[in-house]
Each structure stands twice: as structure tokens, then as C-alpha cells.
Amino acid sequence: MKCPFCDNIDTKVIDSRPKEEGHAIRRRRECEMCGKRFTTYEKIEENIIMVIKKDGRREAFDRNKLINGIVKACEKRPVAVADMEKVVDEIERKINNEMVKEIDSNRIGEMLMEALKELDEVAYVRFASVYRQFTDVNTFVKEIEKLIGNK
């Protein structure tokens, strides 16, 4: 691994730890020339999955879009960042386990809504209101009634 500070190719691993429930490894490295330390991550290379958008466009699956969506939904809620990351990890794992090259954006949205329903009901309703494009208060109330009825 090339040192990001001096471009030397001789570096040594001084610490390795599993990340993402064992699906990645975090390595602390030290450059043998300049002595500076840096972190690298090793992860299994996965197939590129294309997301089919509502308008028919296709784009590469982007984990960051899921994270941004869940962060916005959970804003000012007592939800730990680690819990949000676990949800995203689980959705990403489910998509990869399906062994498909393409997935509909609606399917991803439904997975996220199901996870949010378990994580935080207010975050779920916030996300649902944007995702399902609630147009009036009645639609909003119906969604809350469905949530209450499922308890």
C-alpha cells in the first residue's frame, strides 16, 4: 500500500480490526520511510448493482443515498448513528444476497421503510411522507392509522 504522505510503497500493518460485522477490515499502517500512520479498509469487491428509478433511468447503487435518506428521517430523533448504519448495512446485504444486477428503487424504498418502522416510528412517517409523496393531511393520517393498527 502506497503511503499517502510520501508515496513510498513500503508500509507495514500495525493493527487490523474487523468492521461492518466482519464484512470489512480496518488496517492501521505505518510508512517505513516517513514513519507516518494512516488507515486503510479492505472490503470484498461486490458486483455493481443498477437501480431502476421511477422514470426508467438506471444508476449505480449508492449506499450514501440510503444513509442520507435515513439521516434526514431520523433528524432530531433519539436514534444512534450506529443503528442507522446497521439498517443501511442490512439493506445492502439483502440486495447483494438477491444476486441481481438490477433492482427497482421502489423495492429499496420499501426495505428502508420497513426498517424505519422498527427503528423509529416518527422517522418512518417522515420518510413515508416524502417517499410516498403525501399530497394532503388525510394521506398522512391514514399512514399513521395503519401504523397504529399494526401494533
Side-chain angles (χ1 to χ4, degrees):
M1 180 66 62
K2 188 189 264 189
C3 174
F5 304 104
C6 70
D7 287 337
N8 180 37
I9 58 169
D10 295 321
T11 62
K12 64 182 177 182
V13 175
I14 52 178
D15 183 37
S16 290
R17 295 180 188 205
K19 294 291 285 177
E20 297 177 25
E21 297 179 17
H23 291 91
I25 296 175
R26 175 186 178 271
R27 297 193 194 278
R28 285 295 291 160
R29 295 179 176 270
E30 183 176 51
C31 177
E32 293 182 351
M33 181 180 262
C34 71
K36 292 191 177 179
R37 293 182 175 186
F38 58 98
T39 303
T40 61
Y41 292 90
E42 182 178 314
K43 192 172 182 177
I44 295 171
E45 186 175 20
E46 297 170 352
N47 294 332
I48 294 175
I49 297 171
M50 298 303 286
V51 177
I52 305 168
K53 307 298 276 182
K54 290 178 184 175
D55 64 3
R57 288 181 299 115
R58 285 169 168 68
E59 62 182 49
F61 174 79
D62 184 357
R63 173 187 172 83
N64 290 327
K65 285 190 174 186
L66 278 178
I67 290 172
N68 291 339
I70 198 168
V71 165
K72 283 181 184 174
C74 294
E75 208 168 279
K76 297 183 183 178
R77 299 294 305 151
V79 179
V81 172
D83 291 335
M84 291 183 226
E85 287 177 349
K86 281 181 189 175
V87 166
V88 174
D89 289 343
E90 185 60 30
I91 291 171
E92 191 172 19
R93 193 169 8 270
K94 283 180 184 177
I95 292 169
N96 285 320
N97 286 343
E98 289 183 11
M99 302 296 288
V100 294
K101 300 244 183 230
E102 296 182 330
I103 188 165
D104 197 81
S105 63
N106 290 332
R107 174 109 169 81
I108 297 171
E110 293 298 324
M111 284 187 216
L112 185 52
M113 284 189 16
E114 284 302 312
L116 282 172
K117 195 182 289 186
E118 298 296 318
L119 188 64
D120 185 274
E121 292 176 343
V122 173
Y124 163 77
V125 173
R126 283 180 180 168
F127 184 82
S129 69
V130 174
Y131 177 72
R132 292 201 174 133
Q133 299 174 341
F134 291 173
T135 55
D136 57 27
V137 175
N138 291 332
T139 314
F140 197 79
V141 170
K142 286 178 187 174
E143 191 67 33
I144 292 173
E145 287 172 347
K146 279 198 295 188
L147 188 63
I148 292 170
N150 288 336
K151 285 191 170 190

